[in-house]
Amino acid sequence: MTATLDAAGRLGAGEGGTARFFRTPIRPGRIVMWTLLFLGGITMVMPIVFMLSTSLKYPHEVFDLSLIPQEPTLENYIYVLEDGRFFRWFINSLLIATATTLSCVFFDSLVGYVLCKFKFRGRYIIFIAILSTLMIPTEMLVIPWYLMAQSFGWLDTYWGIMFPGMMTAFGTFLMKQFFETVPDDFLEAARIDGMNEFQIWWSIAMPLVTPALSALAIFIFLGNWTAFIWPLIVTTDSNLYTLPVGLTTFSVEQQIDWELIMTGASLATIPTLLVFLFFQRYIIRGVVLAGLKG
Amino acid sequence: MADVSIRQIYKQYGSVEVIHGLDLEIADGEFVVLVGPSGCGKSTMLRMIAGLEEISGGEIAIGGRVVNHVEPKDRNIAMVFQNYAIYPHMTVYKNIGFGLRTSRLPQADKDRRIRDTAKILGLTDLLERRPSQLSGGQRQRVAMGRAMVRQPAVFLFDEPLSNLDAQLRAQMRLEIKKLHQAMGTTIVFVTHDQVEAMTLADRIVIMKDGYIQQMGTPTEVYEHPATMFAARFIGSPSMNMLPATGTADAAVTLAGGARVPAPPSVNGALQADQALFLGVRPDHLLVTEPGAPGALHLEGTVSVIEPLGPEALVYVTIGDRELVAKAPAHKTPEVGASVHLTAAGEAVHLFDAQTERALC
Ligand SMILES: Nc1ncnc2c1ncn2[C@@H]1O[C@H](COP(=O)(O)OP(=O)(O)OP(=O)(O)O)[C@@H](O)[C@H]1O
Ligand SMILES: [Mg+2]
């Protein structure tokens, strides 16, 4: 600690340019914070760097654990992209993540809206019941889900993979809280102007909570894109595997081909990045919009 | 255009009754202002007329049709809200046109109506803007435009000016009055600002705790307040109130022993030894020379002076009470000076201390 302090002090005093650049004096607290953030950043980024680096290696180099491949190659990418399985799983994941996201955005906000803006008997109890499901971990739910899927004949179907995620308690809660920020006057004005309740929700209330919808869409998409346990349990047909499930079984011969798995995993991050970049704009625009209102 | 009649209206929230059997007849084309302190039930009344709030008892008719169970959209009313409620994600044009969404007019007629409305309100150049790019007064106008475009039978305003600064409020007040004169539509306007009520209304309805205290033209409620509450609520600064006692010969004595003849309007309602309050507005309580003509004479010490330009408010301490009087700017007394206050006989109001109602 003291050493860092001294070093920083000398750095600030000795190099005028740096001192001017930072403007504010470098305080010990700030140095501790930066160090922690830096370590945290490294911890988070390392696995990703490692994944990318492995995807560029030849099989014999995989257990080398060096960050920079000795002979970088794109062969893994060519192989994975040409392999029909990867494409199939990618499409499966995309389909499931998109469908659940659309469904959640629709139903979570519909239920959240009703719980927020309509006063009816039992609404508090319903809300608590929905919230309480948040406290049950997925691991405990998979067995009832499985039994349910089995008795309905949903094993090894897309619907079987999707149904537990078509609505979420978290999303309902999030949207209910956000609809609290929509003034009732907006809804009443629309009511006087002759809209029905569904139209009011869809074309007045929903546009006013776009930041929340974007956040929700990102959460749900990522959650379903990376979901592992349930898709693994409910599917046995490798044609229905989602990407995370499929990748763990990805191999050419009998052993596990890590470089191929890492290549698939690298490719799998692309849609999540796109989804994030796309919705992020709406989050920012939505916040600006909300700030200027009223 | 339509009249509105409200008969024995009650409103309960759960077991709490907030409106206690109000009667109010609003004539076609009349500008009625509901005024009263916060929580007196003004918004509740307005929302019941609009159909946004269920009626617990009684009857509301608009244009002769009982609308107790008619949807808001079918009542032929339009409402302007305190926070405007214009939609941030729509342009001014869309916002104004919103009121016409469900109408069956041909598109060209709708467009013309939207543009006409925008023109009346001076919004023509702003039609493509979004609310976030408008000033407070412009947003207010958009909100009015959305109500006007439907050409409703009745306009309902719920404190539409309270979010504006003082200057803009005065300007919009004038514009609303002009619009009413031009269109002649029935208006029910809610405010807690007595100046707004006085300047806008054909008729003022003063409410308190879910009861109507007094109804009348601005002049009537100013000159003949029916209750102590109405007397103090209308007019600024508030009416001065002094405890007094009735005498057997149509006069009252003030706490200090001064004797004031009862105003002619009291007509013998006054009884000997009746506990009373004597009210006099600051506008009518003048700083004068001793012996000036008048019915009410008081002596006191000046504690504060508030110059208002042409005249000044003079706060005068008399015993343990403080009264407000007026003096012309060029004859304002000094702080600490002893002054004489005079009011004419017809400026004196008498209220029963028990019922708080005016004697008449
Ligand atoms: N949804 C509700 N549930 C219970 N009580 C309510 C509800 N809405 C209003 N009230 C009560 O009804 C009374 C009248 O309310 P209202 O909103 O009409 O007052 P107001 O005169 O408009 O006041 P302000 O000037 O503050 O807007 C208040 O005492 C209020 O607490
Ligand atoms: Mg109100």
Side-chain angles (χ1 to χ4, degrees), chain B residues 3-329:
Chain B
D3 55 352
V4 178
S5 56
I6 295 168
R7 298 174 210 122
Q8 281 299 303
I9 278 292
Y10 288 86
K11 177 67 191 177
Q12 282 136 10
Y13 286 111
S15 59
V16 186
E17 189 172 275
V18 296
I19 301 284
H20 319 280
L22 292 199
D23 286 298
L24 178 60
E25 292 290 331
I26 300 168
D28 186 12
E30 196 176 14
F31 197 136
V32 166
V33 176
L34 305 182
V35 67
S38 187
C40 70
K42 311 177 295 279
S43 298
T44 306
M45 282 297 289
L46 202 67
R47 293 163 54 79
M48 286 194 291
I49 299 174
L52 295 171
E53 207 75 68
E54 200 128 352
I55 301 166
S56 308
E59 204 173 72
I60 292 182
I62 298 176
R65 178 174 65 133
V66 174
V67 293
N68 283 22
H69 300 292
V70 176
E71 294 282 313
K73 65 178 162 67
D74 300 323
R75 292 190 181 196
N76 202 7
I77 47 119
M79 185 154 168
V80 179
F81 294 83
Q82 177 172 356
N83 69 3
Y84 320 147
I86 53 176
Y87 306 123
H89 58 291
M90 296 182 193
T91 61
V92 170
Y93 182 91
K94 284 232 180 87
N95 262 295
I96 295 180
F98 198 84
L100 290 178
R101 249 178 37 94
T102 48
S103 103
R104 285 195 207 87
L105 285 177
Q107 198 54 46
D109 289 358
K110 284 187 188 176
D111 182 71
R112 193 160 35 80
R113 262 217 223 167
I114 295 170
R115 287 181 192 284
D116 287 350
T117 308
K119 199 166 142 206
I120 295 172
L121 293 167
L123 292 170
T124 306
D125 297 333
L126 307 175
L127 282 174
E128 293 316 312
R129 296 233 196 136
R130 280 172 190 269
S132 59
Q133 300 161 316
L134 299 178
S135 71
Q138 288 164 340
R139 285 181 210 185
Q140 175 58 53
R141 261 177 270 221
V142 175
M144 290 199 338
R146 192 177 63 196
M148 279 165 58
V149 78
R150 297 176 56 196
Q151 306 182 345
V154 181
F155 276 121
L156 307 173
F157 287 89
D158 193 355
E159 309 209 15
L161 305 181
S162 55
N163 283 356
L164 303 176
D165 64 46
Q167 203 178 350
L168 205 50
R169 201 178 315 160
Q171 184 192 334
M172 288 306 295
R173 207 162 66 202
L174 198 65
E175 285 185 31
I176 291 177
K177 191 152 191 171
K178 280 187 194 156
L179 279 173
H180 177 247
Q181 282 164 3
M183 296 184 307
T185 312
T186 313
I187 293 184
V188 186
F189 188 105
V190 162
T191 179
H192 61 258
D193 178 353
Q194 56 96 15
V195 177
E196 233 162 77
M198 291 293 281
T199 50
L200 284 171
D202 291 334
R203 196 148 55 107
I204 293 183
V205 178
I206 302 173
M207 291 179 62
K208 184 184 172 228
D209 298 340
Y211 291 101
I212 291 180
Q213 293 272 319
Q214 189 175 8
M215 277 190 266
T217 65
T219 324
E220 274 166 18
V221 297
Y222 183 81
E223 290 181 353
H224 306 288
T227 64
M228 280 175 71
F229 176 80
R232 272 190 296 232
F233 194 79
I234 299 291
S236 168
S238 292
M239 186 183 277
N240 297 301
M241 291 288 176
L242 294 165
T245 316
T247 66
D249 53 349
V252 299
T253 44
L254 293 178
R259 189 185 140 87
V260 184
S265 60
V266 167
N267 290 340
L270 185 65
Q271 287 156 18
D273 296 328
Q274 189 177 4
L276 300 165
F277 277 97
L278 180 150
V280 58
R281 292 196 185 278
D283 293 310
H284 303 138
L285 187 60
L286 306 174
V287 178
T288 57
E289 302 298 323
L296 174 66
H297 296 279
L298 298 163
E299 306 281 346
T301 317
V302 177
S303 61
V304 178
I305 304 277
E306 279 183 359
L308 296 177
E311 56 199 2
L313 293 179
V314 182
Y315 291 78
V316 179
T317 313
I318 300 173
D320 56 349
R321 302 203 156 244
E322 186 155 85
L323 303 191
V324 192
K326 277 197 174 161

Side-chain angles (χ1 to χ4, degrees), chain A:
Chain A
M1 265 291 272
T2 352
T4 333
L5 217 173
D6 284 349
R10 239 177 284 127
L11 188 114
E15 301 178 5
T18 326
R20 221 177 296 127
F21 180 71
F22 282 111
R23 266 165 197 276
T24 48
I26 301 171
R27 273 172 289 127
R30 189 166 285 233
I31 296 192
V32 172
M33 206 170 74
W34 281 350
T35 314
L36 285 177
L37 282 177
F38 183 72
L39 289 177
I42 294 275
T43 327
M44 297 208 190
V45 170
M46 269 313 283
I48 296 172
V49 173
F50 206 68
M51 172 184 83
L52 286 172
S53 130
T54 309
S55 74
L56 299 172
K57 288 176 180 174
Y58 282 108
H60 65 264
E61 226 191 291
V62 165
F63 294 100
D64 212 11
L65 300 186
S66 66
L67 268 187
I68 317 278
Q70 269 139 34
E71 313 165 56
T73 172
L74 286 176
E75 231 163 78
N76 296 326
Y77 283 88
I78 296 167
Y79 181 87
V80 166
L81 289 174
E82 279 180 350
D83 187 305
R85 288 176 297 171
F86 178 84
F87 187 67
R88 172 87 204 206
W89 298 334
F90 191 93
I91 295 296
N92 287 348
S93 274
L94 200 62
L95 192 92
I96 286 160
T98 308
T100 46
T101 303
L102 291 178
S103 163
C104 281
V105 164
F106 185 85
F107 287 112
D108 288 356
S109 50
L110 186 60
V111 175
Y113 177 78
V114 169
L115 288 176
C116 172
K117 293 296 183 190
F118 288 79
K119 317 279 173 242
F120 54 91
R121 207 175 272 274
R123 101 192 219 272
Y124 189 67
I125 292 173
I126 293 174
F127 182 59
I128 294 295
I130 291 175
L131 266 195
S132 60
T133 65
L134 275 178
M135 290 156 210
I136 307 169
T138 313
E139 286 77 0
M140 269 181 69
L141 288 169
V142 290
I143 293 170
W145 283 346
Y146 188 86
L147 295 175
M148 202 172 141
Q150 191 180 36
S151 46
F152 283 123
W154 294 344
L155 295 179
D156 270 322
T157 62
Y158 283 131
W159 175 247
I161 303 173
M162 289 190 293
F163 83 87
M166 296 305 273
M167 245 192 88
T168 63
F170 166 73
T172 306
F173 173 70
L174 180 84
M175 294 317 298
K176 175 183 181 293
Q177 295 313 107
F178 260 85
F179 280 121
E180 301 280 1
T181 66
V182 175
D184 288 346
D185 289 0
F186 281 122
L187 316 177
E188 290 176 344
R191 213 160 280 151
I192 290 177
D193 286 339
M195 280 190 149
N196 66 36
E197 296 301 324
F198 186 84
Q199 289 171 318
I200 293 173
W201 167 69
W202 182 252
S203 53
I204 302 298
M206 286 291 264
L208 294 174
V209 294
T210 34
L213 290 175
S214 305
L216 181 66
I218 291 176
F219 285 137
I220 302 289
F221 189 90
L222 294 192
N224 282 284
W225 184 261
T226 55
F228 181 70
I229 294 181
W230 176 245
L232 175 72
I233 289 171
V234 79
T235 51
T236 45
D237 177 355
S238 73
N239 273 328
L240 287 171
Y241 283 173
T242 58
L243 210 42
V245 176
L247 284 180
T248 57
T249 68
F250 207 36
S251 52
V252 186
E253 286 141 33
Q254 286 309 318
Q255 96 269 22
I256 299 173
D257 294 306
W258 285 107
E259 72 285 359
L260 296 182
I261 292 177
M262 290 304 157
T263 306
S266 304
L267 289 170
T269 57
I270 293 174
T272 60
L273 276 179
L274 290 181
V275 165
F276 184 74
L277 288 178
F278 178 75
F279 282 112
Q280 194 204 26
R281 287 184 329 175
Y282 289 94
I283 293 185
I284 292 167
R285 215 174 64 186
V287 169
V288 169
L289 210 146
L292 289 173
K293 168 184 79 193

